[in-house]
Amino acid sequence: MTDFEHFFNDNTVPSEHLERLRLTRTLIHNIYPNIDEQVSYAMPAFYPIEGKKATQVLMMIKANKHWLGIYALPDFNEEYTDFLLKRNLKMGKGSIQIPYDFDAEQLDILLRKIILYNLKRLNFAVPIEIDES
């Protein structure tokens, strides 16, 4: 089993990719501090601390060769297709391909939307700081 920290310090991954992966982790913690980090599907995964089930994941991330992968689950991509397409982001069934040079402020906005969406989907309390409604 791979240690969670390994993903953020893997010397086989280019340093600029690791920097973006670390920034993403930091942004996630800044947006929603009540987070539990686990390895799931061989990727760093983020869960609400209150979560008790493996299915209660907020998102997973992975440094791929040409993009940062964010795995927010298929429902998010369906709900936010227009938002993602306006930012020229490619999607898979439950994945979003983030270019490594993607604007950090836009990344923060995207992560907030994912966290908010998945907290609501999982029926967890939404901190007022991230509630967009």
Side-chain angles (χ1 to χ4, degrees):
M1 184 170 174
T2 303
D3 174 54
F4 192 88
E5 293 299 323
H6 169 77
F7 293 100
F8 301 91
N9 300 294
D10 185 348
N11 62 9
T12 65
V13 176
S15 62
E16 60 274 7
H17 297 184
L18 285 176
E19 287 173 24
R20 187 45 62 120
L21 195 66
R22 290 180 193 130
L23 171 65
T24 303
R25 182 186 193 187
T26 298
L27 291 172
I28 291 168
H29 279 273
N30 289 346
I31 294 164
Y32 189 69
N34 296 331
I35 207 90
D36 183 31
E37 299 178 326
Q38 300 176 26
V39 175
S40 182
Y41 297 97
M43 291 182 275
F46 301 89
Y47 296 81
I49 287 176
E50 305 86 10
K52 303 295 182 215
K53 299 178 183 175
T55 57
Q56 294 176 319
V57 65
L58 295 176
M59 76 181 78
M60 295 174 280
I61 60 176
K62 183 177 180 184
N64 293 297
K65 185 174 182 178
H66 299 291
W67 66 83
L68 173 70
I70 296 183
Y71 304 86
L73 305 177
D75 292 349
F76 177 84
N77 289 9
E78 291 171 16
E79 181 78 21
Y80 285 92
T81 298
D82 290 342
F83 173 85
L84 297 168
L85 290 175
K86 285 179 185 173
R87 284 151 184 83
N88 298 315
L89 297 174
K90 294 180 183 176
M91 296 169 279
K93 184 174 180 180
S95 64
I96 306 166
Q97 296 177 8
I98 310 294
Y100 284 109
D101 62 353
F102 192 67
D103 179 72
E105 187 174 316
Q106 289 296 311
L107 178 60
D108 182 77
I109 292 168
L110 173 61
L111 294 173
R112 284 179 190 280
K113 288 185 179 298
I114 293 169
I115 290 170
L116 177 63
Y117 180 84
N118 282 321
L119 285 172
K120 287 180 177 180
R121 177 182 64 83
L122 296 166
N123 296 313
F124 286 106
V126 175
I128 193 126
E129 312 83 64
I130 62 170
D131 192 350
E132 298 174 320
S133 46

